[in-house]
Amino acid sequence: MENGLFSFSNIHRCYLKCRRNKRNTINALRFEINLEENLCLLERELKTKSYQPARSVCFVVKKPKLREIFAADFKDRVVHHILVDYLERLFEPKFIFDSYACRTGKGTHKAVERLRKFSRQVTANDTKSAFYLQMDLRSYFVSIDKGILLNLIRRATSNPDVLWLAETIVNNDCAGNFVIKGNPGLISLLPPHKTLFKAPKNCGLPIGNLTSQFFANVYLNEMDQFIKRDLKVKHYIRYVDDFILPSEDREQLAAWRGKIAEFVREKLKLAIHPQKQRIAPVSDGMDFLGYIVRPGYILARKRVVRNFNNKMREIAGTAVKGGVLEFQPALVKKANAIANSYLAHFNRANSYRLKNALAARYGFLKEFGRASRLVTPHYFPSLAKQYKFFKKALSGAELYWDENGQLCFRDRAALVFFPVGRSYAFFGPDAVAAAGVLGVKFMINGGVPLSVSREIGPERAVFSAALEKKYADMAVSKGYTVYVAAEKKDMKFDHKLLPRVLLKYIPAGGAALC
């Protein structure tokens, strides 16, 4: 691989890895328009060592705290993959098992499960007292010494191409060649020790690059080896710059704290954060990576739950108007993505009651889940298939508790106001149900297309779209939920059958949506 580091085949392979999660970004699309030409140009630049990183895009994120991000150009991201792909093969065998950040097969959930296992071991399955030492490095990425980092890479390889590329990327001054995206005033709000603009000379790596994530592990591997090999610590877990050591001996933890602080100060030129180090009983719960970990169970951190509540209230304020839930495609997609992300987090904890409470509090989330495929147009060959598509997504069974506390299920009492021209129509059994609930007359074979009659039934009930509110109020007062669809003209579907999308949801009996 050393002879082929800058070969076209290797560059193309790393390009394919790079584009996996970036293919729809503007920079990635621009690069792909003239893909072969751009890859050939990159190959020449790397082989002649004329490559220089382009300017970065700088922006500031506000949550969970103010933090500056330097996003590299897509071409530079491909180069990052080339370098990391090579160095990973050298360093991965040297990394300790319990380093969990930015490594294949690791991650936050694996780290939390490992910490719970350690807590059971040091407490003998929660039968005796134990303690933990938790520490965090102060302004880690801004404080990384570039000279020390490059020396660590030189110790691992003598390949001149690799060393040149590593030096080019590490010594690149992002803070001197950038363009600002978003609110530029946020940069001035960053503390001096949290920004590359005020970093010490020859220090600091940009947050947001693949190489920075990998180099962070290379740099702190020295600390990992010191803790595991010199201090002989049995239980130790690190995620980026946050690390934790459970032990039965509190005095031993205090001694380790001093030795670790001294090592990172003298060998790595780093400092332990004075407010983010503590020795406490394991029984208090270990606050780690968004969870509270105890030997017997894991809880989601309160701040994570609070963030979820804030986001859901913000979405509800936009989507719920006058007790009616409006399905805005972009908002539905955003809400489902947020909910799925947090649900995955909660699923790793003992959070059955929490999830039930949140589901009850934000009833609109269940409807957004049902509507995920109905807010964008779909092509259907017949009206019958389109009608059945909506019914299948919006009907079905729902769970409830009876008077004896037994969990039961029943068919959902729901009506879909299905638009046909300037009217809403019901077909088959739905037409019979609508006639009973709304009092509209239904007809048999009255204007029902043959394809609909064969697949759904010959019954049909219709009322004017101008009477939507009247009949919706009538349905919800009788315990029915109402879904209102709309016809949508879409140039992608050159067909006489118009696509239909879900427009809004009105809960039965004025049930709360949030």
Side-chain angles (χ1 to χ4, degrees):
M1 175 55 70
E2 291 194 356
N3 294 330
L5 180 66
F6 297 153
S7 66
F8 184 87
S9 60
N10 189 49
I11 294 173
H12 182 259
R13 181 176 63 84
C14 291
Y15 156 75
L16 294 177
K17 290 176 63 177
C18 180
R19 78 173 187 181
R20 286 176 186 170
N21 298 320
K22 298 291 181 181
R23 194 166 192 181
N24 291 328
T25 62
I26 293 177
N27 284 338
L29 293 172
R30 286 174 179 167
F31 191 89
E32 194 169 356
I33 289 175
N34 298 308
L35 178 59
E36 186 174 348
E37 179 182 343
N38 287 327
L39 291 179
C40 288
L41 175 61
L42 180 57
E43 180 188 13
R44 287 196 300 272
E45 290 179 348
L46 291 173
K47 286 183 175 180
T48 60
K49 294 184 171 54
S50 61
Y51 163 79
Q52 286 297 322
R55 69 180 183 179
S56 300
V57 176
C58 177
F59 58 94
V60 177
V61 295
K62 295 186 286 187
K63 293 181 181 180
K65 56 186 176 182
L66 281 178
R67 180 177 295 164
E68 69 180 8
I69 307 295
F70 285 89
D73 184 73
F74 183 79
K75 173 183 170 182
D76 296 329
R77 292 176 183 271
V78 176
V79 177
H80 295 171
H81 276 270
I82 294 171
L83 179 60
V84 171
D85 181 73
Y86 181 93
L87 291 178
E88 268 186 339
R89 301 171 195 175
L90 303 178
F91 281 98
E92 269 296 326
K94 300 179 181 180
F95 290 159
I96 66 169
F97 180 84
D98 288 313
S99 168
Y100 286 88
C102 307
R103 295 177 65 193
T104 302
K106 302 292 185 177
T108 57
H109 294 152
K110 291 285 183 66
V112 170
E113 285 296 332
R114 182 74 163 172
L115 180 58
R116 185 184 179 189
K117 178 180 179 180
F118 284 171
S119 70
R120 290 199 299 265
Q121 290 176 351
V122 297
T123 62
N125 287 325
D126 209 11
T127 60
K128 66 179 185 180
S129 298
F131 305 88
Y132 70 93
L133 166 63
Q134 187 166 15
M135 306 176 78
D136 197 335
L137 295 169
R138 179 181 174 87
S139 307
Y140 174 50
F141 280 90
V142 176
S143 303
I144 291 176
D145 187 283
K146 295 181 179 181
I148 295 176
L149 173 61
L150 289 173
N151 283 335
L152 294 175
I153 296 174
R154 293 186 189 106
R155 278 165 41 186
T157 180
S158 59
N159 186 318
D161 290 339
V162 175
L163 295 179
W164 165 79
L165 187 56
E167 290 172 6
T168 301
I169 293 174
V170 170
N171 291 326
N172 177 49
D173 183 15
C174 294
N177 185 20
F178 68 96
V179 59
I180 294 179
K181 180 180 179 181
N183 183 1
L186 292 175
I187 294 178
S188 63
L189 299 178
L190 289 164
H193 60 278
K194 287 286 189 180
T195 172
L196 286 181
F197 295 105
K198 298 181 180 179
K201 187 178 180 180
N202 296 323
C203 288
L205 295 180
I207 298 176
N209 290 346
L210 174 66
T211 48
S212 298
Q213 297 170 357
F214 177 74
F215 290 152
N217 279 337
V218 171
Y219 203 79
L220 283 187
N221 183 55
E222 298 300 297
M223 182 185 72
D224 296 340
Q225 300 298 335
F226 171 75
I227 291 174
K228 295 296 290 185
R229 295 178 182 274
D230 294 4
L231 299 184
K232 307 295 183 182
V233 176
K234 183 178 180 181
H235 302 113
Y236 164 73
I237 292 175
R238 180 178 64 82
Y239 190 91
V240 192
D241 61 338
D242 187 3
F243 52 99
I244 192 165
L245 299 77
S247 174
E248 304 91 338
D249 190 340
R250 183 168 192 154
E251 293 182 359
Q252 180 68 80
L253 290 175
W256 285 341
R257 176 166 61 180
K259 292 179 180 179
I260 293 170
E262 180 183 4
F263 177 86
V264 299
R265 182 178 64 252
E266 294 184 355
K267 300 296 184 180
L268 301 177
K269 297 183 180 181
L270 300 174
I272 301 297
H273 198 297
Q275 279 79 48
K276 295 183 179 179
Q277 52 176 303
R278 65 186 303 231
I279 297 176
V282 170
S283 57
D284 286 357
M286 294 173 283
D287 188 346
F288 191 59
L289 303 180
Y291 296 95
I292 304 298
V293 182
R294 290 187 172 93
Y297 56 92
I298 300 173
L299 298 177
R301 191 180 181 187
K302 287 183 179 179
R303 189 179 76 177
V304 176
V305 179
R306 184 168 62 249
N307 290 342
F308 177 77
N309 285 327
N310 291 339
K311 291 180 179 180
M312 289 302 104
R313 282 194 288 265
E314 180 182 348
I315 290 172
T318 304
V320 180
K321 298 178 181 178
V324 176
L325 179 63
E326 297 181 355
F327 296 106
Q328 304 169 29
L331 196 61
V332 170
K333 182 179 180 180
K334 176 183 176 181
N336 285 336
I338 292 174
N340 290 336
S341 174
Y342 277 90
L343 182 62
H345 184 86
F346 297 147
N347 281 342
R348 295 287 178 165
N350 300 88
S351 57
Y352 177 78
R353 292 182 180 178
L354 171 65
K355 289 186 292 185
N356 283 345
L358 293 175
R361 183 180 304 169
Y362 304 111
F364 69 89
L365 280 178
K366 184 182 294 185
E367 299 306 324
F368 272 5
R370 290 194 180 100
S372 60
R373 296 185 60 204
L374 302 178
V375 294
T376 54
H378 286 70
Y379 167 75
F380 291 93
S382 68
L383 184 66
K385 293 187 181 298
Q386 191 178 67
Y387 190 84
K388 289 171 70 174
F389 177 74
F390 273 78
K391 285 297 296 181
K392 183 177 180 180
L394 301 175
S395 60
E398 61 182 3
L399 301 175
Y400 70 98
W401 299 92
D402 66 10
E403 62 276 5
N404 298 318
Q406 298 295 318
L407 186 62
C408 306
F409 67 91
R410 61 191 170 201
D411 290 334
R412 299 185 70 232
L415 291 176
V416 181
F417 286 14
F418 192 80
V420 178
R422 297 182 179 180
S423 302
Y424 289 113
F426 307 89
F427 299 100
D430 296 333
V432 180
V437 175
L438 306 178
V440 295
K441 294 183 179 180
F442 75 89
M443 300 167 286
I444 299 178
N445 290 322
V448 181
L450 185 60
S451 63
V452 174
S453 178
R454 287 174 177 172
E455 289 201 45
I456 301 175
E459 300 85 2
R460 176 174 179 262
V462 179
F463 68 84
S464 171
L467 301 176
E468 174 195 320
K469 187 176 187 310
K470 170 187 173 182
Y471 285 115
D473 291 343
M474 186 183 301
V476 299
S477 68
K478 295 183 179 181
Y480 280 76
T481 58
V482 173
Y483 295 93
V484 181
E487 292 178 331
K488 182 178 179 65
K489 294 182 179 180
D490 196 305
M491 298 301 294
K492 293 185 298 183
F493 301 99
D494 186 17
H495 193 267
K496 64 179 181 180
L497 178 62
L498 286 175
R500 289 170 173 81
V501 295
L502 198 59
L503 197 62
K504 53 189 172 182
Y505 161 78
I506 309 170
L513 291 169
C514 60

